[in-house]
Amino acid sequence: MKAIEKLRKSQERLNTSLCVGIDPDFNKTPSIFPKSAKGIEEFSLKIIDATKDFASAYKINFAFFEYFGSKGLEALENIFNNIPDNIFTIADAKRSDIGNSSQFYAKAIFNHFNFDSVTVNPLMGKDSLVSFFEFTDKMIFLLGITSNSGADDFLKLYFNDKHLFEIIIEKSQLWFEQDNLGFVVGATQINEFKTARQLAPNNYFLIPGIGSQGGDFNKLKEYKLNPSIINVSRDILFASSQIDFAEKANKKAQEYFNLFSLF
Ligand code: OMP
């Protein structure tokens, strides 16, 4: 099954676009977990268990695992293997390089790990992206307009009356199959969200920034929100720092599950 079909099925089955972000910052995990690769693995597995009835997708951010080197990657692998098969997976690795190197990044994410999708930084241009899109059954989310303040530094610069992020969204659609092409669009960027949606009305948007980053879902939904995957990480993962963390994560995930309902 193509990744996009898996995504649609997963969202339709649960009637939600909620994606739970697995960002296990060991500084924030409850003290019962050791500050180690094993500790973040055990925490993440408990979070998945507590949220799997509400998550149509899981996004695993590689940073929190790479921190621990080879043991961290082993933890990532074990966590990935414990995600139920019918839930869409996103490797949040923000990869890309010259073509020759990109192909190894792409194979690592898709052949070794078997993720359904990956986040990719488009700034090195078409040849840096092709290796990812050669996996025609997978989905690729290009950074469009990111949620952070640094989006102003490059992505909102004007070139011939267009923001750089607009050019990324327009050009990449000319290069790649629409079904495989998604864009990361930050929930904190309301005006830019509107523009991005006009430029890509039918592409999936991966939307981070709700919760800890203060993105306003009510404002966002005034525009054409779907198709989208809405990610929440810290607000669910660290809903409690105490022994009841799993119970609180479950409740928080249910709230977002309802908020992000499709129909
Ligand atoms: P919370 O702010 O804790 O919900 O986490 C947001 C998650 O989305 C983190 O894993 C970020 O790395 C990621 N993210 C952004 O916050 N902003 C972006 O513009 C892009 C991403 C991403 O690609 O997922």
PDB file of all heavy atoms in Angstrom, residues 203-224:
ATOM      1  N   ASN A 203      -2.310  19.230  -1.303  1.00  0.00           N
ATOM      2  CA  ASN A 203      -1.187  18.492  -0.713  1.00  0.00           C
ATOM      3  C   ASN A 203      -1.353  18.400   0.795  1.00  0.00           C
ATOM      4  O   ASN A 203      -1.859  19.330   1.433  1.00  0.00           O
ATOM      5  CB  ASN A 203       0.146  19.194  -1.014  1.00  0.00           C
ATOM      6  CG  ASN A 203       0.410  19.270  -2.499  1.00  0.00           C
ATOM      7  OD1 ASN A 203      -0.225  20.033  -3.205  1.00  0.00           O
ATOM      8  ND2 ASN A 203       1.342  18.472  -2.973  1.00  0.00           N
ATOM      9  N   TYR A 204      -0.873  17.285   1.341  1.00  0.00           N
ATOM     10  CA  TYR A 204      -0.871  17.163   2.803  1.00  0.00           C
ATOM     11  C   TYR A 204       0.071  18.187   3.419  1.00  0.00           C
ATOM     12  O   TYR A 204       1.189  18.365   2.951  1.00  0.00           O
ATOM     13  CB  TYR A 204      -0.421  15.762   3.222  1.00  0.00           C
ATOM     14  CG  TYR A 204      -1.591  14.847   3.497  1.00  0.00           C
ATOM     15  CD1 TYR A 204      -2.107  14.030   2.498  1.00  0.00           C
ATOM     16  CD2 TYR A 204      -2.191  14.825   4.744  1.00  0.00           C
ATOM     17  CE1 TYR A 204      -3.196  13.195   2.742  1.00  0.00           C
ATOM     18  CE2 TYR A 204      -3.276  14.004   5.001  1.00  0.00           C
ATOM     19  CZ  TYR A 204      -3.772  13.194   4.002  1.00  0.00           C
ATOM     20  OH  TYR A 204      -4.852  12.390   4.259  1.00  0.00           O
ATOM     21  N   PHE A 205      -0.405  18.858   4.462  1.00  0.00           N
ATOM     22  CA  PHE A 205       0.459  19.728   5.261  1.00  0.00           C
ATOM     23  C   PHE A 205       0.751  19.012   6.582  1.00  0.00           C
ATOM     24  O   PHE A 205      -0.179  18.502   7.227  1.00  0.00           O
ATOM     25  CB  PHE A 205      -0.231  21.062   5.580  1.00  0.00           C
ATOM     26  CG  PHE A 205      -0.237  22.051   4.444  1.00  0.00           C
ATOM     27  CD1 PHE A 205       0.280  21.725   3.192  1.00  0.00           C
ATOM     28  CD2 PHE A 205      -0.761  23.330   4.636  1.00  0.00           C
ATOM     29  CE1 PHE A 205       0.277  22.645   2.151  1.00  0.00           C
ATOM     30  CE2 PHE A 205      -0.772  24.257   3.591  1.00  0.00           C
ATOM     31  CZ  PHE A 205      -0.260  23.911   2.347  1.00  0.00           C
ATOM     32  N   LEU A 206       2.018  18.996   6.946  1.00  0.00           N
ATOM     33  CA  LEU A 206       2.414  18.541   8.280  1.00  0.00           C
ATOM     34  C   LEU A 206       2.541  19.790   9.133  1.00  0.00           C
ATOM     35  O   LEU A 206       3.363  20.665   8.839  1.00  0.00           O
ATOM     36  CB  LEU A 206       3.751  17.785   8.202  1.00  0.00           C
ATOM     37  CG  LEU A 206       4.423  17.439   9.534  1.00  0.00           C
ATOM     38  CD1 LEU A 206       3.524  16.571  10.409  1.00  0.00           C
ATOM     39  CD2 LEU A 206       5.759  16.731   9.289  1.00  0.00           C
ATOM     40  N   ILE A 207       1.658  19.896  10.129  1.00  0.00           N
ATOM     41  CA  ILE A 207       1.533  21.156  10.872  1.00  0.00           C
ATOM     42  C   ILE A 207       2.021  20.984  12.317  1.00  0.00           C
ATOM     43  O   ILE A 207       1.305  20.415  13.158  1.00  0.00           O
ATOM     44  CB  ILE A 207       0.063  21.641  10.869  1.00  0.00           C
ATOM     45  CG1 ILE A 207      -0.469  21.697   9.429  1.00  0.00           C
ATOM     46  CG2 ILE A 207      -0.070  22.988  11.569  1.00  0.00           C
ATOM     47  CD1 ILE A 207      -1.950  22.068   9.323  1.00  0.00           C
ATOM     48  N   PRO A 208       3.220  21.478  12.626  1.00  0.00           N
ATOM     49  CA  PRO A 208       3.679  21.513  14.016  1.00  0.00           C
ATOM     50  C   PRO A 208       3.420  22.899  14.597  1.00  0.00           C
ATOM     51  O   PRO A 208       3.104  23.836  13.850  1.00  0.00           O
ATOM     52  CB  PRO A 208       5.188  21.269  13.877  1.00  0.00           C
ATOM     53  CG  PRO A 208       5.536  21.888  12.557  1.00  0.00           C
ATOM     54  CD  PRO A 208       4.301  21.888  11.684  1.00  0.00           C
ATOM     55  N   GLY A 209       3.524  23.019  15.911  1.00  0.00           N
ATOM     56  CA  GLY A 209       3.445  24.356  16.514  1.00  0.00           C
ATOM     57  C   GLY A 209       2.246  24.575  17.406  1.00  0.00           C
ATOM     58  O   GLY A 209       2.118  25.636  18.021  1.00  0.00           O
ATOM     59  N   ILE A 210       1.345  23.576  17.483  1.00  0.00           N
ATOM     60  CA  ILE A 210       0.210  23.686  18.411  1.00  0.00           C
ATOM     61  C   ILE A 210       0.689  23.198  19.789  1.00  0.00           C
ATOM     62  O   ILE A 210       1.463  22.248  19.877  1.00  0.00           O
ATOM     63  CB  ILE A 210      -0.975  22.792  17.952  1.00  0.00           C
ATOM     64  CG1 ILE A 210      -1.402  23.131  16.526  1.00  0.00           C
ATOM     65  CG2 ILE A 210      -2.131  22.830  18.952  1.00  0.00           C
ATOM     66  CD1 ILE A 210      -2.456  24.173  16.364  1.00  0.00           C
ATOM     67  N   GLY A 211       0.214  23.840  20.837  1.00  0.00           N
ATOM     68  CA  GLY A 211       0.630  23.422  22.180  1.00  0.00           C
ATOM     69  C   GLY A 211       1.758  24.304  22.666  1.00  0.00           C
ATOM     70  O   GLY A 211       1.590  25.523  22.779  1.00  0.00           O
ATOM     71  N   SER A 212       2.927  23.721  22.883  1.00  0.00           N
ATOM     72  CA  SER A 212       4.043  24.448  23.509  1.00  0.00           C
ATOM     73  C   SER A 212       4.482  25.680  22.728  1.00  0.00           C
ATOM     74  O   SER A 212       4.973  26.643  23.308  1.00  0.00           O
ATOM     75  CB  SER A 212       5.239  23.525  23.674  1.00  0.00           C
ATOM     76  OG  SER A 212       4.883  22.431  24.455  1.00  0.00           O
ATOM     77  N   GLN A 213       4.339  25.676  21.404  1.00  0.00           N
ATOM     78  CA  GLN A 213       4.789  26.832  20.607  1.00  0.00           C
ATOM     79  C   GLN A 213       3.694  27.882  20.417  1.00  0.00           C
ATOM     80  O   GLN A 213       3.907  28.898  19.753  1.00  0.00           O
ATOM     81  CB  GLN A 213       5.314  26.371  19.235  1.00  0.00           C
ATOM     82  CG  GLN A 213       6.551  25.484  19.332  1.00  0.00           C
ATOM     83  CD  GLN A 213       7.048  25.049  17.966  1.00  0.00           C
ATOM     84  OE1 GLN A 213       7.321  25.863  17.079  1.00  0.00           O
ATOM     85  NE2 GLN A 213       7.176  23.742  17.780  1.00  0.00           N
ATOM     86  N   GLY A 214       2.525  27.612  20.940  1.00  0.00           N
ATOM     87  CA  GLY A 214       1.475  28.633  20.986  1.00  0.00           C
ATOM     88  C   GLY A 214       0.661  28.823  19.715  1.00  0.00           C
ATOM     89  O   GLY A 214      -0.083  29.797  19.614  1.00  0.00           O
ATOM     90  N   GLY A 215       0.778  27.926  18.751  1.00  0.00           N
ATOM     91  CA  GLY A 215      -0.037  28.035  17.524  1.00  0.00           C
ATOM     92  C   GLY A 215      -1.524  27.977  17.861  1.00  0.00           C
ATOM     93  O   GLY A 215      -1.926  27.231  18.750  1.00  0.00           O
ATOM     94  N   ASP A 216      -2.317  28.788  17.174  1.00  0.00           N
ATOM     95  CA  ASP A 216      -3.737  28.900  17.497  1.00  0.00           C
ATOM     96  C   ASP A 216      -4.575  28.087  16.499  1.00  0.00           C
ATOM     97  O   ASP A 216      -4.777  28.499  15.353  1.00  0.00           O
ATOM     98  CB  ASP A 216      -4.133  30.388  17.454  1.00  0.00           C
ATOM     99  CG  ASP A 216      -5.569  30.611  17.896  1.00  0.00           C
ATOM    100  OD1 ASP A 216      -6.337  29.632  17.959  1.00  0.00           O
ATOM    101  OD2 ASP A 216      -5.918  31.776  18.172  1.00  0.00           O
ATOM    102  N   PHE A 217      -5.074  26.955  16.972  1.00  0.00           N
ATOM    103  CA  PHE A 217      -5.817  26.063  16.081  1.00  0.00           C
ATOM    104  C   PHE A 217      -7.085  26.723  15.547  1.00  0.00           C
ATOM    105  O   PHE A 217      -7.467  26.524  14.397  1.00  0.00           O
ATOM    106  CB  PHE A 217      -6.161  24.762  16.815  1.00  0.00           C
ATOM    107  CG  PHE A 217      -6.939  23.803  15.968  1.00  0.00           C
ATOM    108  CD1 PHE A 217      -6.327  23.129  14.921  1.00  0.00           C
ATOM    109  CD2 PHE A 217      -8.287  23.582  16.195  1.00  0.00           C
ATOM    110  CE1 PHE A 217      -7.044  22.251  14.115  1.00  0.00           C
ATOM    111  CE2 PHE A 217      -9.016  22.708  15.394  1.00  0.00           C
ATOM    112  CZ  PHE A 217      -8.384  22.044  14.355  1.00  0.00           C
ATOM    113  N   ASN A 218      -7.734  27.542  16.372  1.00  0.00           N
ATOM    114  CA  ASN A 218      -8.982  28.179  15.932  1.00  0.00           C
ATOM    115  C   ASN A 218      -8.769  29.113  14.759  1.00  0.00           C
ATOM    116  O   ASN A 218      -9.602  29.202  13.860  1.00  0.00           O
ATOM    117  CB  ASN A 218      -9.639  28.918  17.092  1.00  0.00           C
ATOM    118  CG  ASN A 218     -10.225  27.942  18.070  1.00  0.00           C
ATOM    119  OD1 ASN A 218     -10.761  26.904  17.659  1.00  0.00           O
ATOM    120  ND2 ASN A 218     -10.094  28.225  19.349  1.00  0.00           N
ATOM    121  N   LYS A 219      -7.637  29.813  14.775  1.00  0.00           N
ATOM    122  CA  LYS A 219      -7.328  30.700  13.642  1.00  0.00           C
ATOM    123  C   LYS A 219      -7.022  29.882  12.398  1.00  0.00           C
ATOM    124  O   LYS A 219      -7.453  30.193  11.293  1.00  0.00           O
ATOM    125  CB  LYS A 219      -6.128  31.586  13.978  1.00  0.00           C
ATOM    126  CG  LYS A 219      -6.474  32.739  14.882  1.00  0.00           C
ATOM    127  CD  LYS A 219      -5.375  33.784  14.868  1.00  0.00           C
ATOM    128  CE  LYS A 219      -5.676  34.868  15.888  1.00  0.00           C
ATOM    129  NZ  LYS A 219      -4.490  35.300  16.601  1.00  0.00           N
ATOM    130  N   LEU A 220      -6.279  28.806  12.625  1.00  0.00           N
ATOM    131  CA  LEU A 220      -5.842  27.955  11.512  1.00  0.00           C
ATOM    132  C   LEU A 220      -7.027  27.359  10.762  1.00  0.00           C
ATOM    133  O   LEU A 220      -7.055  27.295   9.533  1.00  0.00           O
ATOM    134  CB  LEU A 220      -5.011  26.827  12.126  1.00  0.00           C
ATOM    135  CG  LEU A 220      -3.880  26.223  11.352  1.00  0.00           C
ATOM    136  CD1 LEU A 220      -2.843  27.271  11.013  1.00  0.00           C
ATOM    137  CD2 LEU A 220      -3.227  25.121  12.207  1.00  0.00           C
ATOM    138  N   LYS A 221      -8.019  26.937  11.538  1.00  0.00           N
ATOM    139  CA  LYS A 221      -9.127  26.225  10.891  1.00  0.00           C
ATOM    140  C   LYS A 221     -10.074  27.138  10.120  1.00  0.00           C
ATOM    141  O   LYS A 221     -10.985  26.675   9.463  1.00  0.00           O
ATOM    142  CB  LYS A 221      -9.858  25.323  11.887  1.00  0.00           C
ATOM    143  CG  LYS A 221     -10.696  26.010  12.896  1.00  0.00           C
ATOM    144  CD  LYS A 221     -11.413  24.976  13.736  1.00  0.00           C
ATOM    145  CE  LYS A 221     -12.460  25.704  14.553  1.00  0.00           C
ATOM    146  NZ  LYS A 221     -12.900  25.073  15.727  1.00  0.00           N
ATOM    147  N   GLU A 222      -9.807  28.449  10.175  1.00  0.00           N
ATOM    148  CA  GLU A 222     -10.576  29.356   9.319  1.00  0.00           C
ATOM    149  C   GLU A 222     -10.187  29.161   7.854  1.00  0.00           C
ATOM    150  O   GLU A 222     -10.917  29.526   6.945  1.00  0.00           O
ATOM    151  CB  GLU A 222     -10.291  30.814   9.707  1.00  0.00           C
ATOM    152  CG  GLU A 222     -10.963  31.217  11.000  1.00  0.00           C
ATOM    153  CD  GLU A 222     -10.533  32.606  11.448  1.00  0.00           C
ATOM    154  OE1 GLU A 222     -10.105  33.415  10.592  1.00  0.00           O
ATOM    155  OE2 GLU A 222     -10.630  32.862  12.666  1.00  0.00           O
ATOM    156  N   TYR A 223      -8.995  28.608   7.647  1.00  0.00           N
ATOM    157  CA  TYR A 223      -8.535  28.362   6.280  1.00  0.00           C
ATOM    158  C   TYR A 223      -8.723  26.882   5.967  1.00  0.00           C
ATOM    159  O   TYR A 223      -9.099  26.105   6.822  1.00  0.00           O
ATOM    160  CB  TYR A 223      -7.079  28.801   6.137  1.00  0.00           C
ATOM    161  CG  TYR A 223      -6.918  30.237   6.551  1.00  0.00           C
ATOM    162  CD1 TYR A 223      -6.267  30.575   7.719  1.00  0.00           C
ATOM    163  CD2 TYR A 223      -7.527  31.253   5.803  1.00  0.00           C
ATOM    164  CE1 TYR A 223      -6.182  31.899   8.128  1.00  0.00           C
ATOM    165  CE2 TYR A 223      -7.452  32.569   6.211  1.00  0.00           C
ATOM    166  CZ  TYR A 223      -6.778  32.891   7.373  1.00  0.00           C
ATOM    167  OH  TYR A 223      -6.716  34.192   7.777  1.00  0.00           O
ATOM    168  N   LYS A 224      -8.419  26.500   4.724  1.00  0.00           N
ATOM    169  CA  LYS A 224      -8.615  25.087   4.353  1.00  0.00           C
ATOM    170  C   LYS A 224      -7.541  24.252   5.051  1.00  0.00           C
ATOM    171  O   LYS A 224      -6.390  24.218   4.620  1.00  0.00           O
ATOM    172  CB  LYS A 224      -8.542  24.958   2.826  1.00  0.00           C
ATOM    173  CG  LYS A 224      -8.867  23.568   2.322  1.00  0.00           C
ATOM    174  CD  LYS A 224      -8.798  23.512   0.797  1.00  0.00           C
ATOM    175  CE  LYS A 224      -9.085  22.117   0.262  1.00  0.00           C
ATOM    176  NZ  LYS A 224      -7.996  21.183   0.454  1.00  0.00           N
TER     177      LYS A 224
END
